[in-house]
């Protein structure tokens, strides 16, 4: 083990942060790029299912809250791309990996948003699940990523509250609204629990990531934490947990749950979900339709540089 | 069916501006996740949020002037095509990014002049709002101006697309200045609006190396009487769908 | 005067039809091409203002009636293009003239359709005015055009009845519906009267066209006929004629009317109306977006021709 | 707010077909004045009219089976996204003309098989309707087949666009054959539907020189439970706007 590696291991052992200038093992770097870029792409692709209801938001307030939320997601994406850039990869490369299907994003965004209540469910459950994960990542070993998590978590918990507010409004509203709220919960419950990833025993990257303190808590631990926090909220809403086996277990001190449909999970991860093709195509189209704008901006910058030199 | 008829002349004046901002906001919201860069996506969302924000504030004034016979949301989500009074310019679609920035700039220069005059209005709340709005619009105007320069002086293609967007949308600038009695009551100097607008756009044409389209006598039916392009009805169909479909629901 | 011209004049004088195989003066041919192509383009561009409400038609019946109507217009356009083709000009040339702004279409289609009641007003007033004109053209001197008018008039009068039906439904409906009906009438009344063209004294092509019996009745005569027929229908609907001077005149035996806004008329004709640019752009876009389809069909036809020869 | 819940199993079965035809009609109506030629514009309107026509007839049967608790129009204009049961294939947009003909063909081959079995249904009216529909669909299928051959064997570009449309829409063919108990009650032989559909599309692939996309296991949420692509909500916003906005009006 060379002295760099010793120093690196030492920093990790002492719970200190790895910074961009520090030496790091190539696998650590790659592992981080994979995770950060997946996180960044999730923010960006996540704009679409919510954007789907932006023009139909049913009040001025709802419209502004939703637009601000999606804007925050773009901001998070931007922030996270720049974290990835500190690891030596450009935004352009990252986007190319996304377009080529080499980089993933959170599979939940491949589900369609079918009613306005989904804007509630996405904020409450999807952002809620994300936060549980992200809070634990505030202690991740890579400095820029940890710091980005601190900032992002603040905004995300704001989003989650706003999502929950929509759920309250719907669940306490007209019978049709309550029906929509329950339906949204039914559709997003299991997929949001699967967001935490495979069970610990089946998680490919987990053990090395835990050793390097990129990851600070196990998938199952975080998932259980989220379930335990969310079930009482469902009860508060007067809605029904869409899992008959989800009951408080005195012995474990946790809520039980049914086994998940991992076939579905992997199927969607592999690109065969309801909206995978549409999400990617939307992103590609926005890029290609606007290629002429980026070219124009580049050409203009070139011209003005030249004239600056000429003066 | 709630019928929303605006009768107070001051409210009639304000709703024109409010409607224009909200419909422009809706068009900007369409750009969400469709901009040329992530930075621009964020910038356009900002502009959209500003539009909705001031639209809502103005609608509160309208609602108050009509003795709260309806809420701002009612006003936005329950009036039909002929009861809307936005300028046609803001209804025009996002055919490409040049349309987005051309529309924005032509709008920004116009409302700058409107809000400048309202910033000294005797209605305290409106004056304060206008002062705040002027700062937002200043940012928006710089943003669209910068893009127009880059597009006008960028590539052949960007110049062509931008000039085309200008040529098409120019048609909707004429009506902006056909001020009626209501406008003249609440604006201190309507002539100055046209004059300053012309200065502003001419400055842009020079800076961006774009050609000012010819001014012509046209017959395009005045927005002040609720005449619109066919785009508005389609915008409203999406925008109003939920409140129309679930009239008893609160959102 | 050569023998051809004598024979031609003779046919006209005897009220017989000129047929494609017959000799005709170049100016007669040109005049006819202008008129028939203007008529054909009007059918085609006229599809757009109605198409604007097709997706929003408020009942299954309304949707089918409207779609069938627009389809008929496409059919009329096709028929009239083929009449023009008998005069030695191709559909492609005609469309090119339209795109270059050299050929006109009825100016009424440059007005936007702003509410569903406009579907009533367009059918009732615009098709109504067209029929009055077209009935007189059943006696036009060019045989193919005269015969096309017979067939087209049948369908148009069907359309007019359907338009009137919508007006009845609206005018006898809820207060909002009645308001929409009156508003549509207000907007389409004067433009539909101006559809008959300038007053006889100001009509550029009229006198020669009347001599050649291309045109059989004067603009003002036809316009008055339409007014006299339509005012009682407005009264039946319980709506108000949007012209305070429109009263029955015992002396003339006709309804009076206010002077028309010919400035507006010419302004719209010259391309400066509410939707001129949009209508033309829509047509061009449909052509250019689908160029690849026409190329494919052509390429396929070429290939299959060649293989037929090879066999 | 009228609540429309369909509970009769036969009505549930029929409304799936009715909804599919109406939404396809709506997509075809969008093509009006946008087709490659005038002749094709007329042809697509014909297909659209047929879709609306049979959609309406089926909806009458649905309405009758539910004791006329709602009219066919109520059923079309007052149910929300989750209460619609169309196949996702027909929701897909008219991205280009290849999408239009690919969607049409895949649909036509499918509903041919459905209506063939319904043509001998003991419900006399349904059987008679199905016999009539089969003739319409036969025409439509020939029409879309012919276009696919021309596009597949036309130019490089037409082949590429058509193959692309096929690749994208193929994903929505899987669910067609995931018949549930309701389907199996009213269709005499569901296995034959999949088998014959495969014969039909394979014949087209050969004739048009196009490649059959790979069949994969997918998870796309079954239309039989009211799961849709995001397109449906936007289609409904336009389609239902007027009846939703003016609930008391008759049209």
């Amino acid at each position: 083990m060379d002295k760099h590696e010793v120093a690196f291991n030492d920093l990790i052992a002492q719970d200190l942060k790895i910074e961009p200038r520090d030496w790091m093992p190539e696998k650590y770097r790659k592992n981080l790029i994979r995770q950060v870029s997946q996180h960044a792409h999730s923010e960006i692709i996540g704009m679409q299912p919510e954007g789907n209801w932006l023009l139909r938001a049913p009040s001025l307030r709802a419209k502004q809250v939703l637009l601000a939320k999606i804007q925050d997601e773009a901001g998070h994406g931007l922030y996270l791309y720049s974290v990835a850039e500190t690891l030596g990869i450009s935004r352009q490369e990252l986007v190319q990996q996304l377009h080529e299907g080499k980089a993933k994003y959170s599979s939940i965004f491949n589900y369609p948003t079918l009613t306005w209540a989904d804007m509630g469910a996405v904020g409450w459950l999807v952002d809620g699940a994300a936060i549980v994960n992200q809070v634990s990542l505030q202690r991740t070993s890579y400095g820029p990523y940890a710091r980005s998590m601190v900032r992002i978590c603040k905004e995300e918990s704001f989003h989650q509250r706003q999502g929950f507010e929509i759920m309250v409004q719907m669940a306490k509203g007209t019978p049709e609204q309550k029906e929509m709220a329950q339906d949204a919960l039914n559709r997003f419950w299991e997929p949001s629990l699967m967001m935490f990833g495979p069970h610990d025993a089946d998680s490919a990257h987990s053990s090395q990531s835990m050793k390097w303190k990129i990851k600070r808590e196990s998938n199952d631990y975080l998932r259980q934490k989220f379930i335990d926090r969310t079930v009482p909220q469902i009860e508060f809403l007067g809605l029904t947990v869409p899992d008959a086996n989800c009951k408080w277990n005195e012995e474990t001190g946790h809520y039980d749950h049914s086994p998940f449909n991992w076939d579905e999970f992997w199927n969607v991860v592999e690109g065969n979900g309801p909206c995978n093709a549409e999400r990617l195509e939307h992103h590609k189209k926005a890029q290609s339709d606007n290629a002429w704008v980026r070219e124009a901006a580049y050409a203009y910058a070139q011209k003005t540089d030249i004239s600056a030199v000429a003066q | 069916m709630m019928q929303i008829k605006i009768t107070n002349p001051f409210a009639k004046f304000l709703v024109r501006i409010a409607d224009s901002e909200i419909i422009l906001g809706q068009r900007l919201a369409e750009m969400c996740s469709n901009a040329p860069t992530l930075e621009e996506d964020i910038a356009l969302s900002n502009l959209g949020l500003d539009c909705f924000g001031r639209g809502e504030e103005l609608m509160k004034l309208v609602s108050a002037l009509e003795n709260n016979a309806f809420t701002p949301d009612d006003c936005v989500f329950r009036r039909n095509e002929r009861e809307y009074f936005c300028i046609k310019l803001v209804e025009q679609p996002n055919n490409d990014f040049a349309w987005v920035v051309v529309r924005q700039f032509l709008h920004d220069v116009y409302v700058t002049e409107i809000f400048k005059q309202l910033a000294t209005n005797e209605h305290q709340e409106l004056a304060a709002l206008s002062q705040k709005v002027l700062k937002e619009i200043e940012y928006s105007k710089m943003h669209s101006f910068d893009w127009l320069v880059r597009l006008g002086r960028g590539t052949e293609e960007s110049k062509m697309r931008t000039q085309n967007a200008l040529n098409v949308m120019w048609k909707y600038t004429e009506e902006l200045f056909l001020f009626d009695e209501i406008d003249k009551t609440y604006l201190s100097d309507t002539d100055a609006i046209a004059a300053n607008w012309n200065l502003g756009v001419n400055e842009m044409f020079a800076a961006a190396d774009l050609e000012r389209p010819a001014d012509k006598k046209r017959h395009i039916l005045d927005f002040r009487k609720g005449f619109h392009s066919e785009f508005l009805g389609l915008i409203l169909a999406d925008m109003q769908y939920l409140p129309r479909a679930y009239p008893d629901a609160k959102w």
Side-chain angles (χ1 to χ4, degrees), chain A, chain B:
Chain A
M1 202 180 286
D2 79 353
K3 63 177 179 176
H4 292 303
E5 200 166 346
V6 172
F8 172 84
N9 287 340
D10 211 41
L11 285 171
I12 296 284
Q14 291 179 59
D15 251 348
L16 292 170
K17 298 298 178 213
I18 309 299
E19 295 299 332
R21 64 180 179 277
D22 296 334
W23 182 92
M24 58 190 89
E26 204 41 39
K27 283 197 173 168
Y28 176 88
R29 185 189 303 274
K30 282 205 173 140
N31 198 327
L32 254 176
I33 288 178
R34 188 187 52 77
Q35 180 165 337
V36 174
S37 87
Q38 185 165 327
H39 194 159
H41 296 324
S42 299
E43 297 281 356
I44 300 307
I45 298 294
M47 296 166 73
Q48 293 180 38
E50 291 177 312
N52 181 39
W53 283 89
L54 196 43
L55 301 181
R56 287 174 285 170
S59 73
L60 283 170
R61 178 163 188 278
K63 200 180 282 292
Q64 291 172 75
V65 166
L66 186 58
L67 181 51
K69 182 186 175 191
I70 304 176
Q71 187 190 33
D72 283 346
E73 283 157 9
H76 297 172
L78 199 57
Y79 196 176
L80 288 162
Y81 282 134
S82 74
V83 170
E85 282 173 325
T86 65
L87 292 159
I89 187 164
S90 71
R91 202 202 299 182
Q92 207 184 337
E93 286 171 282
L94 292 166
V95 169
Q96 195 178 330
Q97 288 178 356
L98 174 68
H99 287 184
E100 289 170 354
K102 289 179 192 160
K104 301 283 183 204
Y105 53 87
S106 181
S107 210
I108 192 96
F109 300 119
N110 292 316
Y111 289 80
T113 52
L114 296 179
T115 76
W116 173 252
D118 291 9
M119 296 302 99
V122 167
W124 168 46
L125 298 177
V126 177
D127 289 41
I131 292 167
V132 169
N133 189 34
Q134 287 162 12
V135 165
S136 84
L137 289 173
Q138 293 178 355
R139 297 182 295 118
T140 191
S141 58
Y142 188 58
Y145 192 32
R147 289 189 291 276
S148 75
M149 285 300 105
V150 174
R151 188 170 124 188
I152 288 172
C153 276
K154 270 188 212 148
E155 292 184 356
E156 294 281 18
S157 64
F158 194 58
H159 296 164
Q160 201 213 358
R161 269 207 305 282
Q162 291 170 333
F164 190 67
E165 246 180 59
I166 294 178
M167 291 306 286
V168 172
Q169 222 174 18
M170 301 290 284
K172 311 281 180 191
T174 65
E176 293 98 333
Q177 284 179 300
K178 182 165 183 180
E179 195 179 320
M180 283 189 221
Q182 180 67 55
D183 170 58
L185 170 59
N186 294 351
R187 282 181 289 114
F188 281 97
W189 176 248
E190 193 174 329
S192 67
L193 299 185
M194 292 195 286
M195 277 177 71
F196 292 93
H199 289 306
D200 299 343
D202 311 319
S203 181
H205 305 283
S206 275
S207 108
Q208 183 60 62
S209 288
M210 292 284 269
K211 236 182 277 169
W212 277 330
K213 294 183 181 168
I214 292 176
K215 209 164 161 165
R216 301 306 308 249
E217 307 284 0
S218 82
N219 295 353
D220 286 328
Y221 171 84
L222 293 170
R223 176 165 25 237
Q224 190 63 54
K225 196 169 158 188
F226 176 69
I227 296 174
D228 291 348
R229 170 187 298 184
T230 308
V231 172
Q233 295 172 346
I234 297 175
E235 283 162 5
F236 170 84
L237 290 168
L239 299 178
T240 308
V241 182
D243 174 2
N245 295 315
C246 185
K247 285 182 219 134
W248 180 253
N249 183 327
E250 285 289 349
E251 271 175 56
T252 60
H254 293 294
Y255 285 91
D256 289 339
H257 60 78
S258 300
F260 302 124
N261 184 350
W262 292 110
D263 271 1
E264 169 184 327
F265 178 78
W266 289 114
N267 217 340
V268 178
V269 167
E270 279 154 25
N272 304 317
C275 301
N276 300 59
E278 283 81 356
R279 299 293 184 236
L280 218 48
E281 188 52 36
H282 179 121
H283 196 267
K284 285 181 190 168
K285 189 171 184 314
Q287 294 282 305
S288 63
D289 283 357
N290 287 302
W292 68 272
V293 179
R294 294 190 304 275
E295 281 157 24
Y298 180 77
Y300 179 73
Q302 294 290 97
K303 284 181 198 170
T304 43
D305 264 7
I306 287 162
S307 53
V309 169
Q311 274 164 6
Chain B
M1 250 303 291
M2 170 178 270
Q3 275 273 55
I4 295 175
K5 298 281 171 194
I6 295 164
T7 52
N8 175 297
F10 195 26
K12 282 188 179 184
F13 171 75
L14 292 176
V15 84
R16 294 171 183 175
I17 315 175
D19 285 348
S20 300
E21 296 308 298
I22 283 161
I23 297 302
L24 181 57
Q26 194 75 357
R27 281 297 190 208
L28 287 165
E30 274 177 38
M31 288 302 292
C32 190
S33 80
N34 293 304
T37 63
L38 207 41
E39 288 81 354
E40 188 57 27
D41 216 308
I42 292 170
L44 293 177
S45 290
N46 254 335
L47 305 187
L49 282 167
D50 285 346
C51 286
F52 289 127
R54 55 188 178 251
E56 185 173 20
E57 291 306 314
L58 288 163
M59 222 49 113
K60 283 182 193 164
L61 299 180
V62 168
S63 173
L65 287 163
E66 295 284 341
N67 303 313
N68 301 307
F70 45 80
T71 67
D73 274 343
D74 291 335
C75 209
V76 170
F77 294 95
R78 294 177 197 272
R79 278 181 301 147
N80 71 24
E81 301 86 339
R82 300 284 286 118
E83 296 163 342
Y84 255 77
F85 298 96
C86 49
I87 58 178
K88 290 184 199 72
L89 177 66
V90 298
E91 301 168 1
Q92 302 311 304
N94 302 323
N95 281 357
D96 67 22
F97 185 67
W99 286 59
V100 177
V101 291
V102 165
R103 185 183 61 210
Q104 195 68 33
F105 181 75
L106 297 176
H107 159 272
D108 290 346
V109 184
Y110 179 63
V111 296
T112 297
E113 297 306 315
I114 300 281
F115 283 109
K116 267 206 300 205
Q117 300 195 2
L118 297 181
T120 56
N121 194 284
E122 57 195 19
H123 189 299
Q124 292 298 312
E125 259 181 279
L126 176 60
L129 173 62
S130 301
Q131 285 155 27
K132 176 175 162 279
V133 167
L134 279 172
K135 286 177 203 138
E136 295 168 3
I137 303 270
E138 188 56 30
Y139 164 79
S140 176
K141 200 169 63 176
M142 272 171 40
H143 183 82
S144 43
F145 187 95
D146 281 357
W147 267 117
L148 287 171
V149 171
R150 271 180 280 177
L151 297 183
R153 295 182 177 273
T155 62
E156 282 286 309
E157 182 180 5
S158 69
K159 185 186 204 68
M160 189 268 292
R161 284 177 183 263
T162 311
Q163 186 68 53
N164 174 55
L166 264 165
N167 295 348
V168 176
M169 276 189 274
W170 195 252
K171 155 174 168 186
Y172 298 109
T173 60
E174 185 201 54
E175 67 172 352
L176 303 180
F177 308 106
L178 304 176
F179 299 105
D180 66 2
E181 281 315 303
I182 290 180
D183 292 323
K184 286 175 186 162
T185 309
Y186 301 102
L187 293 168
S188 44
D189 181 358
T190 51
D191 289 347
I193 293 174
N196 290 339
W197 186 84
N198 274 297
L199 287 177
V201 296
N202 285 340
E203 188 191 335
M204 180 280 288
F205 285 124
D209 193 24
L210 292 165
E211 223 171 289
R212 184 177 163 123
D215 289 300
K216 293 193 211 176
K217 196 168 169 312
R218 296 177 195 275
H219 174 77
I220 64 161
L221 305 164
D222 194 349
F223 75 88
R224 293 165 187 83
K225 298 194 173 108
F227 291 122
H228 297 283
S229 63
E230 287 174 353
F231 298 114
L232 181 65
L234 295 164
I235 294 174
L236 296 186
D238 278 350
M239 186 165 92
Q240 301 182 335
Y241 179 72
L242 282 174
R244 299 286 204 178
Y246 302 96
D248 305 327
K250 291 211 176 65
W251 308 94

